[in-house]
Amino acid sequence: QVQLVESGGGLVQPGGSLRLSCAASGSIFGINDMGWYRQAPGKQRELVAGVSLGGSPNYVDSVKGRFTISRDNVKNTVYLQMNSLKPEDTAVYYCNAHIKTPSSGAYFYAYWGQGIQVTVSS
């Protein structure tokens, strides 16, 4: 059984910062790509940032220069540092990780966190 548990969301004023964390636990043989998605009301879920096993990041254009994704492979944790937050960043943020378990053989399957609310408002 694998779980992804997110933390660090909340309410922040425009221009403020938040740091999201997502820790994977359970029967884990390995983790490949990890990332953060978000879904605003009435919109589709979108990839915000991703990071490879080797640490190479990628970002959606709207957050470049403001958000930084990182990971700790010992702790099986991915982080999203969000600076200069804007009202349009308001959404539920979901952690995603591709994980290999004892029952998955050679394959990595996608797992999701439960989602965490980020609200940017004055």
Side-chain angles (χ1 to χ4, degrees), residues 1-20:
Q1 197 78 350
V2 172
Q3 275 192 316
L4 299 182
V5 179
E6 298 130 335
S7 61
L11 172 65
V12 65
Q13 291 187 342
S17 297
L18 283 174
R19 188 189 194 213
L20 303 183

Side-chain angles (χ1 to χ4, degrees), residues 39-66:
Q39 188 165 20
K43 294 189 176 181
Q44 288 190 329
R45 190 175 296 190
E46 67 170 349
L47 174 64
V48 177
V51 60
S52 68
L53 177 60
S56 296
N58 62 87
Y59 302 94
V60 68
D61 285 347
S62 61
V63 308
K64 285 180 180 177
R66 301 188 298 121

Side-chain angles (χ1 to χ4, degrees), residues 27-119:
S27 299
I28 297 172
F29 274 3
I31 302 178
N32 201 342
D33 294 344
M34 304 182 82
W36 289 94
Y37 289 70
R38 67 186 178 188
Q39 188 165 20
K43 294 189 176 181
Q44 288 190 329
R45 190 175 296 190
E46 67 170 349
L47 174 64
V48 177
V51 60
S52 68
L53 177 60
S56 296
N58 62 87
Y59 302 94
V60 68
D61 285 347
S62 61
V63 308
K64 285 180 180 177
R66 301 188 298 121
F67 290 11
T68 302
I69 190 169
S70 61
R71 63 189 288 172
D72 184 328
N73 292 332
V74 174
K75 296 181 179 180
N76 290 337
T77 300
V78 62
Y79 306 95
L80 186 67
Q81 178 65 44
M82 305 185 292
N83 298 329
S84 302
L85 281 159
K86 304 176 180 180
E88 50 264 42
D89 295 317
T90 296
V92 177
Y93 283 70
Y94 296 90
C95 171
N96 171 270
H98 289 80
I99 297 174
K100 184 163 61 175
T101 66
S103 61
S104 71
Y107 298 99
F108 292 81
Y109 288 99
Y111 289 84
W112 292 89
Q114 79 282 1
I116 192 164
Q117 179 70 44
V118 171
T119 302

